[in-house]
């Protein structure tokens, strides 16, 4: 069993507060973006080359925000053998709202019923894709405050990203990340360098409570993302210099990995290039023979004039290509294979980064993370991996827990676009319907996945947990903490999904 956190009676500020353990969940089904291009009648490469996406995960009417959170939390608890009594704070970051009053966190409390732990602070936090980061900051602050009682905090970031039929649908996705927060962590939050930019804009928002679909101003959304990135990077740089973390001419050089909220992978590549542009404009003596070769003509440009300047974009993307491949591309596995997970997107990137490393290679590394939520809220912060190489230690356990991400992605079931489209129509027609009994197949769900069993006439939702293996007869179970020690291995060949 994972050891308990530091005793609440300990004196002084808890040290090395950060992420102790984490878990990533994504659905068992996906659609190929190449096939979706053909189905949607768009030019070949529009989604794959233009957006940088390969596959998109999706779920049927059997999964909602509550099932995502139930699944990822219970998997984290079981995989790390955590005592439910050891959790003192639980906060959910999500923009997938199915109730205007009742939080997803309260639904998660059923997991704690058997142990009798009801003394758990926290509820839901909402602002587009930023909610998970706000929940993380709140939990870090709780552990470092006088309110801390010595137990762990648990952060959940989860969302279902769906769009109306059209050119935005290919940028959907779904996923959840759970993170255990405590002292003496293997992944420590850097103190004193968090930067934030907040602003009132209508770039992406969800005013229609009867629909899952957002209202989006696509061009404005990209401009807001890039402007927020500039602002956060500049403030982070100033704070990093003051903290003694940055002592050279480039903030990029202090990080081994740079991870972004990823609506789609090509935007991340452009964003990384923009950080290089920021460093270049700040550098009093830029090296035009080395890193900044080819950027001579950009010396006097203003950042606010370059959001949609193709010539500037091309030049800095070319100059940053090798750095991007080393520092950011490894973090895009989940984004490329699952799509936009909204609040979970940034932390799916962190999980992907860890998946690409070994215990020996990751010790002591620092990663910078940029979080963005439309409307808008954004922050940049950094985390540092510990130096502990002990087999069976906290860092080894964290690395091992993320080592199967690619294997799990490859084991999913590929579904033809027409069946994906049918699932989207079903979700649209039955969203917020009551009473309602879902019709999606339970047998395609991996063991351990929670699913929606029914919605009664009063909109009360009942959930069960899948314990059968693939292709077995569906076996609804009574709500409770049941587990499976193995994962379903499904063919990656495209087949029609059962309904």
């Amino acid at each position: 069993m994972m050891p308990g956190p530091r005793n609440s009676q300990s004196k002084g500020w808890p040290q090395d507060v950060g992420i102790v353990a984490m878990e990533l969940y994504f659905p068992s089904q996906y659609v190929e973006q190449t096939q979706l291009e053909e189905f949607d009648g768009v030019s070949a490469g529009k989604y794959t080359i233009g957006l940088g996406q390969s596959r998109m995960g999706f779920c049927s009417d059997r999964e909602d925000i509550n099932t995502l959170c139930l699944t990822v939390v219970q998997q984290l608890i079981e995989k790390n053998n955590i005592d439910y009594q050891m959790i003192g704070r639980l906060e959910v970051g999500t923009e997938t709202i199915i109730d205007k009053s009742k939080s997803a966190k309260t639904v998660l409390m059923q997991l704690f019923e058997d142990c009798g732990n009801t003394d758990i602070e926290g509820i839901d936090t909402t602002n587009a894709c930023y909610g998970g980061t706000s929940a993380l900051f709140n939990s870090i602050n709780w552990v470092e405050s006088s309110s801390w009682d010595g137990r762990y905090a648990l952060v959940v970031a989860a969302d279902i990203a769906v769009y109306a039929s059209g050119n935005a649908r290919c940028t959907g996705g779904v996923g959840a990340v759970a993170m255990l927060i405590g002292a003496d962590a293997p992944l420590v939050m850097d103190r004193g360098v968090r930067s934030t930019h907040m602003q009132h804009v209508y770039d992406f928002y969800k005013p229609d409570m009867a629909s899952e679909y957002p209202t989006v101003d696509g061009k404005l959304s990209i401009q807001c993302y890039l402007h927020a990135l500039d602002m956060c990077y500049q403030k982070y740089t100033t704070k990093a210099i003051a903290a003694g973390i940055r002592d050279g001419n480039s903030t990029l050089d202090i990080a081994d990995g740079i991870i972004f909220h990823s609506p789609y992978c090509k935007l991340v590549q452009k964003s990384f290039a923009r950080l290089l542009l920021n460093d270049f404009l700040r550098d009093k003596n830029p090296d035009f023979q080395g890193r900044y070769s080819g950027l001579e003509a950009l010396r006097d440009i203003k950042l606010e004039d370059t959001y949609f300047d193709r010539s500037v974009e091309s030049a800095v993307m070319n100059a940053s290509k090798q750095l991007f491949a080393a520092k950011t591309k490894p973090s895009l596995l989940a984004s490329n294979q699952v799509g936009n997970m909204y609040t979970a997107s940034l932390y799916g990137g962190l999980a992907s980064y860890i998946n690409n490393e070994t215990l020996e290679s990751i010790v002591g590394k620092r990663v910078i993370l940029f979080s963005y939520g439309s409307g808008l809220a954004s922050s940049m912060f950094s985390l540092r991996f510990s130096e502990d190489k002990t087999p069976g230690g906290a860092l080894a356990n964290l690395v091992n827990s993320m080592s199967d991400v690619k294997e799990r992605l490859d084991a999913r079931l590929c579904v033809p676009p027409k069946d994906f489209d049918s699932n989207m129509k079903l979700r649209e027609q039955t969203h917020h319907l009551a009473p309602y009994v879902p019709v999606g197949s339970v047998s395609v769900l991996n063991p351990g996945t929670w699913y929606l069993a029914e919605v009664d006439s009063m909109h009360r939702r009942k959930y069960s947990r899948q314990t059968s293996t693939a292709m077995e007869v569906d076996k609804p179970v009574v709500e409770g903490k049941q587990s499976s020690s193995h994962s379903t291995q499904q063919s990656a060949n495209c087949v029609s999904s059962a309904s």
Side-chain angles (χ1 to χ4, degrees):
M1 178 172 290
M2 177 173 285
R6 187 178 301 176
N7 187 284
S8 61
Q9 299 302 315
S10 63
K11 303 297 182 181
W13 201 348
Q15 296 299 306
D16 294 336
V17 177
I19 299 172
V20 177
M22 67 185 301
E23 177 67 10
L24 170 65
Y25 170 75
F26 41 81
S28 60
Q29 301 180 92
Y30 71 90
V31 61
E32 286 280 1
Q33 292 281 14
T34 52
Q35 295 183 9
L36 197 58
E37 289 170 343
E38 183 178 356
F39 180 81
D40 289 345
V42 302
S43 58
K46 183 174 182 178
Y47 303 159
T48 50
I49 299 174
L51 298 179
Q53 301 301 116
S54 294
R55 295 172 175 176
M56 179 170 55
F58 71 94
C59 54
S60 73
D61 61 345
R62 284 292 183 181
E63 294 187 83
D64 62 16
I65 184 58
N66 292 333
T67 66
L68 298 184
C69 293
L70 286 164
T71 299
V72 77
V73 167
Q74 193 155 12
Q75 287 182 347
L76 175 77
I77 294 289
E78 292 174 349
K79 182 180 289 187
N80 294 278
N81 200 17
I82 301 165
D83 186 342
Y84 281 91
Q85 292 281 6
M86 290 160 54
I87 308 299
R89 181 180 180 87
L90 172 55
E91 186 168 348
V92 177
T94 185
E95 64 172 272
T96 307
I97 309 300
I98 58 175
D99 191 287
K100 292 185 288 184
S101 176
K102 182 176 172 62
S103 68
K105 182 267 178 75
T106 60
V107 177
L108 290 173
M109 289 306 299
Q110 65 187 297
L111 297 176
F112 296 82
E113 288 176 358
D114 286 353
C115 76
N117 182 13
T118 61
D119 181 18
I120 303 177
E121 293 186 8
I123 46 174
D124 291 1
T125 299
T126 301
N127 188 90
C129 302
Y130 186 80
T133 295
S134 183
L136 174 62
F137 288 176
N138 290 343
S139 295
I140 293 285
N141 293 344
W142 178 74
V143 174
E144 293 185 340
S145 76
S146 61
S147 298
W148 185 51
D149 64 3
R151 293 183 293 169
Y152 291 117
L154 184 56
V155 174
V156 184
D159 272 304
I160 300 172
V162 289
Y163 294 84
S165 58
N167 58 9
R169 174 158 282 182
C170 61
T171 62
V174 53
V177 173
M179 295 174 281
L180 192 70
I181 309 301
D184 305 316
L187 185 50
V188 182
M189 177 80 74
D190 280 333
R191 285 179 177 160
V193 293
R194 280 178 3 202
S195 65
T196 291
H197 176 71
M198 300 267 178
Q199 187 178 345
H200 168 54
V201 290
Y202 280 110
D203 58 329
F204 169 111
Y205 50 108
K206 295 179 178 178
D208 185 357
M209 298 300 290
S211 171
E212 286 191 289
Y213 302 142
T215 297
V216 185
D217 183 333
K219 185 174 182 179
L220 177 61
S221 185
I222 293 173
Q223 179 177 323
C224 288
Y225 182 104
L226 296 177
H227 174 65
L229 177 64
D230 290 340
M231 296 297 288
C232 285
Y233 190 63
Q234 291 162 16
K235 294 171 185 175
Y236 178 90
T237 294
T238 299
K239 292 182 178 182
I241 292 172
I245 293 176
R246 180 191 188 274
D247 56 6
N249 292 322
S250 173
T251 303
L252 291 178
D253 290 339
I254 72 174
D256 301 284
I258 301 180
I259 304 169
F260 299 79
H261 165 60
S262 179
Y264 52 92
C265 293
K266 186 55 69 71
L267 180 59
V268 171
Q269 187 174 1
K270 294 177 181 180
S271 298
F272 182 92
R274 196 163 183 87
L275 298 189
L276 181 78
L277 180 61
N278 270 267
D279 276 353
F280 166 66
L281 295 177
R282 188 184 181 106
D283 196 331
K284 295 179 180 179
N285 298 293
D287 178 11
F288 290 118
Q289 302 304 313
R291 176 171 294 185
Y292 302 124
S293 176
L295 303 186
E296 293 85 352
L298 308 183
R299 192 58 183 158
D300 297 321
I301 64 169
K302 295 181 179 180
L303 282 170
E304 59 269 24
D305 296 333
T306 64
Y307 298 128
F308 302 105
D309 190 318
R310 293 291 182 88
S311 62
V312 172
E313 180 182 282
S314 178
V316 292
M317 285 182 69
N318 185 62
S320 63
K321 188 179 300 183
Q322 290 185 342
L323 281 175
F324 167 77
K327 294 179 181 286
T328 297
K329 190 174 181 180
S331 71
L332 293 177
L333 174 63
S335 177
N336 174 266
Q337 294 288 304
V338 179
N340 191 356
M341 298 182 280
Y342 286 169
T343 57
S345 170
L346 178 63
Y347 303 99
L350 178 59
S352 298
Y353 180 85
I354 298 173
N355 173 259
N356 191 63
E357 299 283 340
T358 64
L359 177 60
E360 292 292 327
S361 67
I362 207 169
V363 293
K365 285 188 173 180
R366 172 177 283 111
V367 291
I368 294 176
L369 298 92
F370 173 66
S371 180
Y372 178 83
S374 293
L376 63 77
S378 61
S379 289
M380 183 169 284
F381 58 102
S382 51
L383 300 166
R384 177 177 44 82
F385 292 92
S386 76
E387 301 280 354
D388 182 16
K389 299 182 185 179
T390 307
L395 182 58
N397 289 338
L398 178 63
V399 173
N400 288 339
S401 69
M402 293 295 100
S403 64
D404 67 344
V405 171
K406 188 177 187 306
E407 179 183 347
R408 290 193 288 124
L409 286 168
D410 292 342
R412 293 174 298 165
L413 183 70
C414 178
V415 174
K418 63 181 180 64
D419 290 346
F420 162 72
D421 186 64
S422 296
N423 268 280
M424 293 300 100
K425 289 177 180 176
L426 176 65
R427 291 190 66 90
E428 181 176 321
Q429 294 165 359
T430 61
H431 179 65
H432 238 54
L433 190 63
Y436 179 64
V437 177
V439 298
S441 173
V442 175
S443 63
V444 300
L445 302 176
N446 289 330
T449 303
W450 283 84
Y451 62 90
L452 179 64
E454 69 170 296
V455 183
D456 71 15
S457 60
M458 293 181 65
H459 289 269
R460 293 176 297 193
R461 293 172 175 249
K462 299 181 181 179
Y463 299 98
S464 296
R465 196 181 188 207
Q466 172 69 310
T467 57
S468 61
T469 56
M471 307 312 293
E472 287 183 353
V473 177
D474 298 344
K475 300 176 183 177
V477 298
V478 177
E479 295 176 8
K481 296 192 288 295
Q482 303 182 40
S483 64
S484 174
S485 60
H486 60 280
S487 61
T488 304
Q489 298 296 311
Q490 296 170 322
S491 171
N493 296 322
C494 286
V495 297
S496 295
S497 60
S499 61

